[in-house]
Amino acid sequence: LFCRRYAQELKDDAREHGKVLHLLRRSLRYEPQDGETHHGLADVLWAQLRHDDALVCYRFAACLDDKNEVRVKAYFAAARCCRQTEVAMRLLEDRFARFGSRSGWPARTLCWAYEELDDQGRALETLQEAVRLRPEDGDLLLFAADAYGRHGRSQEASEFLAKAESITRRTEWLRGAACLDLYRGDLHGALGRW
């Protein structure tokens, strides 16, 4: 733990990368399944322009911390840079297939990835499927309302927002409604909700 924390403190200083790599590898000997350590190692390798090695570490981190969306997004971003987008998308799609009925987060990350690839259709299809699997997930409904609103699909966005009203905190619902008002150009309505 101390090796990992010390390495995290030093990793932003490129002059210390040798020491950081040593500390992180030492930490991995004691805790090889720690996603945070693999992620830190990947960050240092990426900074050293060792992208292929870093990509492997980012994938390990994403798989070991499969419920940590930050790790998964970092892996996806690195895979895109290394021209391995298809491999990363298969991982994201598999996560959604495995965990989509238990949590809305895999769907949200998959939707984000499709949007990064300018595939609006698949992003919205993913959200439709996620809402079908988790109709009582208020946060997912608000996320879907926001996504549909951003893409100019006001009718569907309003439907998701209406479904979310009774199952989310009032402040969260008002924030989502205000964003939809902004997307529609209703500044007065958005101001009232804010």
Side-chain angles (χ1 to χ4, degrees), residues 33-96:
Q33 286 100 9
D34 182 54
E36 184 179 349
T37 305
H38 283 280
H39 189 87
L41 185 60
D43 286 343
V44 173
L45 293 171
W46 192 268
Q48 292 180 338
L49 304 179
R50 295 169 55 188
H51 295 155
D52 292 334
D53 295 333
L55 183 60
V56 171
C57 292
Y58 279 128
R59 183 170 176 116
F60 272 124
C63 292
L64 291 169
D65 273 349
D66 60 354
K67 311 230 179 352
N68 186 324
E69 302 308 307
V70 172
R71 308 249 189 275
V72 176
K73 285 181 176 183
Y75 167 64
F76 176 79
R80 272 191 82 188
C81 289
C82 293
R83 294 190 171 100
Q84 294 190 26
T85 307
E86 297 82 21
V87 176
M89 287 305 295
R90 280 197 302 270
L91 176 80
L92 292 175
E93 290 164 354
D94 181 59
R95 282 180 79 239
F96 176 58

Side-chain angles (χ1 to χ4, degrees), residues 101-183:
S101 62
R102 292 187 235 164
S103 171
W105 283 103
R108 292 166 77 163
T109 301
L110 182 57
C111 176
W112 167 83
Y114 280 132
E115 286 179 337
E116 288 291 305
L117 298 174
D118 292 325
D119 193 344
Q120 170 188 343
R122 280 190 164 170
L124 298 181
E125 286 172 15
T126 299
L127 289 177
Q128 282 283 351
E129 177 64 15
V131 168
R132 187 188 67 74
L133 291 171
R134 299 181 52 79
E136 298 300 315
D137 187 337
D139 291 334
L140 179 61
L141 288 168
L142 288 177
F143 182 84
D146 185 72
Y148 273 81
R150 276 185 285 119
H151 293 294
R153 309 257 308 255
S154 299
Q155 180 62 34
E156 293 99 328
S158 296
E159 291 171 11
F160 287 126
L161 188 65
K163 290 177 186 176
E165 186 171 11
S166 63
I167 55 176
T168 57
R169 291 185 308 190
R170 184 74 178 151
T171 54
E172 296 297 320
W173 186 86
L174 286 170
R175 182 178 294 124
C179 288
L180 287 184
D181 287 341
L182 285 174
Y183 299 147

